[in-house]
Amino acid sequence: VQKEIDHIKEIKAAEKLLTVRCFGNFEVFHNGEVLNFKRKKAKELLAEEKDKSLDEIAELLGMCNASYLCRIFKEKTGVSMKKYQQALRISSAKIMLAEKNMSVKEVARRCGFKSDIRFINYFKATQFMTPKQYRKASQNARIGIFNANDEN
C-alpha cells in the first residue's frame, strides 16, 4: 500500500512539473474553469480546423503537450480527442456528400483526411457503406420524401 501511495505522489509531482511547463503556474491546474475553457476551446478548434493534427490543436491552445490535452479532454468528456475529431469529420462529410456535388476526394480533403483512400476506408468502417453509396442513399431518400409529399 505504501508503494502505491509513493507512486501516486510521484505521478502528482510529475503532473505539477508538467503543469508548470504548460501553464507557467500550478494554480491553473486546479482551476476547473481554465481546464473547461481549454476543453471547450479544443472542441471548437477540432470543429473549425478539421485538417489540424492533435499536436497542432494543442499548440494553438498554448499547451506544450498534446497527450496532456488529450488526457484532460477524455477525462472531462469521456471520449478521446481523436474519436471526437473523426466523428466531426465524418459528420461534415455526410453533410457534404448529401448536399454538395463535389467529388469524394474533395470531400475527404475538406474534412481533413490526408488521403481519399483513408477517408473511404474510415467512412466504410464507421458507416457500413462507402461514401458513394451514402450519397446515393441520401439522394434516394430525398427523392422518396419529395414523392411522398406529391401524393398528399
Side-chain angles (χ1 to χ4, degrees):
V1 175
Q2 186 59 40
K3 285 183 182 180
E4 290 178 24
I5 293 171
D6 291 341
H7 182 68
I8 291 170
K9 286 180 181 178
E10 288 175 16
I11 291 171
K12 291 202 181 271
E15 285 177 343
K16 286 180 187 178
L17 181 60
L18 179 61
T19 302
V20 169
R21 287 186 182 152
C22 287
F23 297 112
N25 63 29
F26 179 62
E27 289 73 33
V28 175
F29 181 78
H30 291 291
N31 185 340
E33 289 180 31
V34 173
L35 292 180
N36 283 336
F37 170 77
K38 295 276 187 198
R39 179 174 48 90
K40 286 177 186 170
K41 187 68 174 164
K43 280 184 171 181
E44 291 170 15
L45 282 170
L46 286 169
E48 294 167 6
E49 307 284 346
K50 291 177 186 65
D51 60 335
K52 300 280 189 226
S53 71
L54 298 181
D55 286 326
E56 292 170 317
I57 297 292
E59 188 177 315
L60 289 171
L61 288 169
M63 299 185 77
C64 64
N65 189 315
S67 62
Y68 179 64
L69 174 62
C70 290
R71 190 179 82 220
I72 291 171
F73 191 92
K74 183 159 186 174
E75 284 175 9
K76 300 295 182 183
T77 65
V79 178
S80 75
M81 277 186 72
K82 189 68 176 170
K83 283 188 179 180
Y84 185 83
Q85 182 183 50
Q86 295 293 53
L88 287 173
R89 287 175 173 175
I90 291 297
S91 179
S92 295
K94 288 168 72 174
I95 292 168
M96 287 182 203
L97 289 166
E99 297 177 359
K100 309 249 190 250
N101 190 21
M102 53 177 91
S103 69
V104 170
K105 188 173 190 168
E106 179 66 12
V107 170
R109 188 188 64 75
R110 287 189 182 203
C111 291
F113 287 88
K114 301 297 182 204
S115 78
D116 55 328
I117 302 298
R118 277 186 168 169
F119 167 66
I120 292 166
N121 289 338
Y122 190 79
F123 193 96
K124 189 173 181 179
T126 59
Q127 305 304 305
F128 308 105
M129 62 178 72
T130 66
K132 284 185 179 179
Q133 290 169 331
Y134 180 85
R135 174 177 277 152
K136 188 171 183 175
S138 66
Q139 289 171 346
N140 289 342
R142 229 179 306 147
I143 291 169
I145 291 169
F146 291 132
N147 288 341
N149 288 339
D150 290 343
E151 292 172 7
N152 293 332

